[in-house]
């Protein structure tokens, strides 16, 4: 075998190894290892409210082992996810002050598009043998490989809020379709059942975006035939994209009466466009972030659906301790949500949702 033939063989082998390596590295959030949601939809499951779980299971069991819970949110650039993190940490602190040895380590990737980075965080927590995982995936598929690995390693997993992981044994969060339904009912009352409205959709592959839009559209179709949805467009949870989209719609439809955005970040962008136009157009969002509350107090944003992430995080921690403590949880556990407008924007959240602390085993 001459030198040219040896060199050709080495080159071919290098290319083959390189291709294998490339395939391996892509076998994550967006590669071959990622799976689409197989049809699991928590909105259609026979779930139970967290308060019903408390009534049925009683006190949270005493767990003497030291617990290190791993929370993985979408991205802390969004206040909503920072608040959910705060809620998980508050929950862990409350149990710690009552004799439990528990820590909540909550992390996020660099942004809401960093699916690979989010999966890497989960895999790192699995390698470090965290006691339980509370996961809010960016999409319905990007954390599936990590969840499968965690389940194989007997690490309890709870899917918190959004997106949806069909492979996770439990889901804790609000009924997303009701976000849209509550907004639709509210805006129909404000418009006396007639007028042109539009919808700014979040990231299309996010479960919450699809369900919030579906809930709004379905309620209008079934209950308010005089309301016409004249526009619907994605803005990928982005404030500037939502603002630009609303500016176009306001010019195109001079008689537009209301715009529903799938989250508050986009709703605040829409509100900027409405302010600039000088028109009286209702704007509604979802999430209940602080800036949305402040905007409502200023008489700008008209309404938001608050799913109370600070309390949702505490509920997720409580349910994980119940799970680790040996209690049987249902597949889907609902958390509270409520429409917030000028009439209740200053009412304490505890009063709106009737919050009480869980009973603890002695």
């Amino acid at each position: 075998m001459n030198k040219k033939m040896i060199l050709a063989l080495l080159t071919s082998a290098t290319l083959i190894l390189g291709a294998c390596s490339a395939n391996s590295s892509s076998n994550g959030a967006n590669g071959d290892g990622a799976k689409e949601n197989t049809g699991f939809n928590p909105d259609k499951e026979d779930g139970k409210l967290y308060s019903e779980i408390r009534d049925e299971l009683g006190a949270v069991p005493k767990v003497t082992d030291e617990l290190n819970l791993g929370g993985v949110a979408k991205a802390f650039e969004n206040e909503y996810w920072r608040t959910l993190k705060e809620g998980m940490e508050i929950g862990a602190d409350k149990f710690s002050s009552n004799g439990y040895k528990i820590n909540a380590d909550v992390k996020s990737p660099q942004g809401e598009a960093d699916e690979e980075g989010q999966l890497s965080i989960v895999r790192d927590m699995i390698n470090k043998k965290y006691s339980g995982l509370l996961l809010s995936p960016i999409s319905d598929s990007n954390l599936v490989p990590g969840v499968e690995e965690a389940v194989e390693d007997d690490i309890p997993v709870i899917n918190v809020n959004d997106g949806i992981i069909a492979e996770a044994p439990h889901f804790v969060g609000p009924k997303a379709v009701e976000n849209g339904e509550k907004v639709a009912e509210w805006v129909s009352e404000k418009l006396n059942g007639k007028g042109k409205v539009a919808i700014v959709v979040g990231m299309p592959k996010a479960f919450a975006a699809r369900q919030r839009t579906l809930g709004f559209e379905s309620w209008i179709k079934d209950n308010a035939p005089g309301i016409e949805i004249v526009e619907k467009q994605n803005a990928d949870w982005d404030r500037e994209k939502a603002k630009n989209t609303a500016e176009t719609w306001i010019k195109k439809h001079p008689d537009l009466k209301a715009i529903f955005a799938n989250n508050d970040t986009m709703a605040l962008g829409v509100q900027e466009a409405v302010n600039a136009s000088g028109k009286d157009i209702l704007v509604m969002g979802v999430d209940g972030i602080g800036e949305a509350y402040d905007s409502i107090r200023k008489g700008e944003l008209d309404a938001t659906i608050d799913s109370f992430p600070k309390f949702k995080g505490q509920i997720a921690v409580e349910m994980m301790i119940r799970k680790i403590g040996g209690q049987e949880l249902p597949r889907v556990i609902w958390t509270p949500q409520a429409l917030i407008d000028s009439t209740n924007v200053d009412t304490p959240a505890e009063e709106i949702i009737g919050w009480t602390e869980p009973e603890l085993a002695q």
Side-chain angles (χ1 to χ4, degrees):
M1 185 179 295
N2 60 37
K3 290 184 178 179
K4 287 185 176 180
M5 291 180 65
I6 293 173
L7 180 61
L9 288 171
L10 289 173
T11 302
S12 297
T14 301
L15 290 172
I16 291 170
L17 288 172
C20 290
S21 175
N23 286 337
S24 176
S25 66
S26 68
N27 192 20
N30 296 312
D32 295 336
K35 297 179 180 179
E36 295 300 324
N37 189 332
T38 54
F40 171 65
N41 182 341
D43 281 358
K44 296 183 178 179
E45 293 290 316
D46 186 19
K48 292 185 177 179
L49 279 170
Y50 77 99
S51 54
E52 295 178 305
I53 303 300
R54 289 178 174 179
D55 291 340
E56 291 182 8
L57 298 182
V60 180
K62 191 72 174 182
V63 178
T64 56
D65 293 341
E66 187 168 340
L67 303 180
N68 190 24
L69 304 184
V72 182
K74 287 190 178 182
F76 295 147
E77 63 192 10
N78 186 323
E79 179 191 319
Y80 183 87
W81 299 109
R82 295 196 301 273
T83 308
L84 183 70
K85 172 180 183 288
E86 181 186 0
M88 291 179 180
E89 293 168 342
I90 290 173
D93 288 345
K94 287 181 178 177
F95 280 102
S96 295
S97 65
N98 283 281
Y100 293 73
K101 291 178 286 187
I102 180 172
N103 174 64
D105 182 18
V106 189
K107 299 180 178 179
S108 86
Q110 294 299 312
E112 293 203 33
D114 186 12
E115 297 183 65
E116 292 275 3
Q118 193 185 41
L119 178 60
S120 295
I121 294 171
V122 173
R123 281 178 159 154
D124 183 58
M125 290 178 170
I126 295 170
N127 290 334
K128 292 178 178 175
K129 308 297 183 185
Y130 276 52
S131 311
L133 300 178
L134 304 168
L135 308 179
S136 302
I138 290 171
S139 73
D140 294 349
S141 61
N142 73 300
L143 295 189
V144 170
V147 171
E148 291 177 335
E149 292 166 20
V151 172
E152 286 177 3
D153 288 356
D154 293 325
I155 297 175
V157 177
I158 293 179
N159 180 188
V160 182
N161 201 75
D162 173 60
I164 300 304
I165 314 173
E167 289 74 8
H170 305 286
F171 172 87
V172 171
K175 188 174 284 188
V177 73
E178 285 187 359
N179 296 161
E181 292 171 351
K182 288 178 180 294
V183 171
E185 183 176 5
W186 182 89
V187 78
S188 177
E189 291 176 2
K190 294 294 180 184
L191 297 179
N192 293 319
K194 56 184 179 182
K196 293 182 179 179
V197 303
I199 309 172
V200 182
V201 182
M203 190 176 286
K205 59 184 175 182
F207 171 79
R210 299 194 301 273
Q211 291 300 103
R212 290 168 186 173
T213 302
L214 174 65
F216 186 87
E217 292 178 312
S218 298
W219 195 95
I220 293 295
K221 179 182 178 182
D222 295 340
N223 300 282
I227 291 181
E228 181 184 5
I229 300 173
V230 294
E231 298 283 356
K232 181 174 70 171
Q233 184 171 318
N234 304 324
D236 301 325
W237 308 125
D238 186 271
R239 183 169 182 156
E240 192 66 23
K241 287 183 181 178
K243 177 184 176 183
N244 295 337
T245 298
E247 287 175 344
T248 301
W249 290 346
I250 292 169
K251 293 175 182 175
K252 184 177 178 181
H253 304 281
D255 54 348
L256 190 63
K257 298 298 183 185
I259 302 176
F260 167 46
N262 278 176
N263 77 350
D264 285 341
T265 299
M266 297 191 299
L268 290 164
V270 170
Q271 187 64 54
E272 291 178 34
V274 170
N275 290 348
S277 74
K279 290 181 173 292
D280 184 17
I281 299 174
L282 297 173
V283 181
M284 304 78 65
V286 178
D287 281 347
I289 65 173
E291 190 175 355
Y293 269 70
D294 291 341
S295 183
I296 292 172
R297 292 188 181 101
K298 289 167 59 180
E300 295 185 341
L301 192 68
D302 294 281
T304 181
I305 299 294
D306 194 344
S307 58
F308 306 101
K310 186 181 295 185
F311 296 93
K312 186 189 309 177
Q314 295 177 61
I315 293 168
V317 169
E318 175 192 336
M319 295 303 157
M320 178 59 79
I321 295 175
R322 289 183 183 276
K323 175 76 175 179
I324 293 173
Q327 293 184 338
E328 290 290 330
L329 299 179
R331 178 71 180 87
V332 173
I333 300 162
W334 305 122
T335 56
Q337 58 180 310
L339 188 139
I340 306 298
D341 61 11
S342 60
T343 66
N344 62 354
V345 68
D346 291 318
T347 304
E350 290 87 345
E351 182 178 332
I352 292 175
I353 64 175
W355 177 257
T356 58
E357 298 297 334
E359 179 187 357
L360 306 182
Q362 300 301 314

